[in-house]
Amino acid sequence: MAWVAVLMGSESDWPTMQSCTEVLDSLGVEFEVRVTSAHRTPAATAEYVAGAVDRDCRVFVCAAGLAAHLAGAVAANTTRPVIGVPIDGGPFNGADSLLSTVMMPGGVPVATVAVGKAGAKNAGYLAAQILAVGDDGLAERVAAEREANAAKVGQQNESVQRSLS
């Protein structure tokens, strides 16, 4: 069964990345979560990526702050889709993470989402959408989630309109 690997450079990234795993869980997408570092454990990171591909991992979601090279290190070791989540924080409030994640050399792509929890949430949705290309049931769940979000916005508008009356 296809699944998603959610990787973080540090345990401190977990509060942000829970937004990703909550989305995956709500859509019924199998996932694993690991802390692994592009800089501190490069061999273990490469070994995990190879093993995950052998076990049918289809998408990698990688979060890192500051220098943020985890997504790039993973992308260098697989041709499976890699989604990078820049973590907010540090002296540049995540701007450094964003640039490090998005500025990959040609031929080694990393799909990069927004900085922080919104990006982590979107990474979960994007990973699900990638898997849904070959899974009609998942595609239906993703579409239903999108429709529910649209209905929620409509309800919020009605609430604001009532408060204006």
Side-chain angles (χ1 to χ4, degrees):
M1 172 180 242
W3 56 280
V4 175
V6 179
L7 308 179
M8 298 168 282
S10 170
E11 184 179 10
S12 64
D13 301 335
W14 179 232
T16 298
M17 294 310 293
Q18 284 178 307
S19 297
C20 176
T21 59
E22 288 167 0
V23 167
L24 294 171
D25 192 46
S26 74
L27 293 169
V29 174
E30 297 289 325
F31 61 88
E32 286 183 2
V33 177
R34 294 285 186 274
V35 175
T36 189
S37 172
H39 301 109
R40 291 180 230 103
T41 60
T45 299
E47 184 178 323
Y48 176 80
V49 170
V53 168
D54 288 344
R55 294 182 295 115
D56 207 23
C57 174
R58 298 284 176 91
V59 181
F60 292 88
V61 176
C62 303
L66 303 173
H69 289 293
L70 183 58
V74 170
N77 285 288
T78 186
T79 57
R80 300 285 167 96
V82 176
I83 303 167
V85 180
I87 298 295
D88 49 354
F92 301 108
N93 297 315
D96 50 347
S97 302
L98 174 63
L99 293 173
S100 294
T101 305
V102 77
M103 295 302 297
M104 292 296 297
V108 188
V110 169
T112 305
V113 294
V115 175
K117 285 188 177 184
K121 187 173 186 177
N122 277 340
Y125 283 114
L126 182 56
Q129 287 176 259
I130 291 168
L131 293 179
V133 169
D135 182 336
D136 291 339
L138 180 55
E140 290 172 9
R141 294 191 301 277
V142 169
E145 174 73 14
R146 183 76 57 98
E147 290 171 12
N149 285 334
K152 184 177 178 183
V153 170
Q155 293 167 349
Q156 291 172 352
N157 179 55
E158 289 173 12
S159 176
V160 169
Q161 296 309 311
R162 282 192 303 274
S163 74
L164 294 171
S165 302

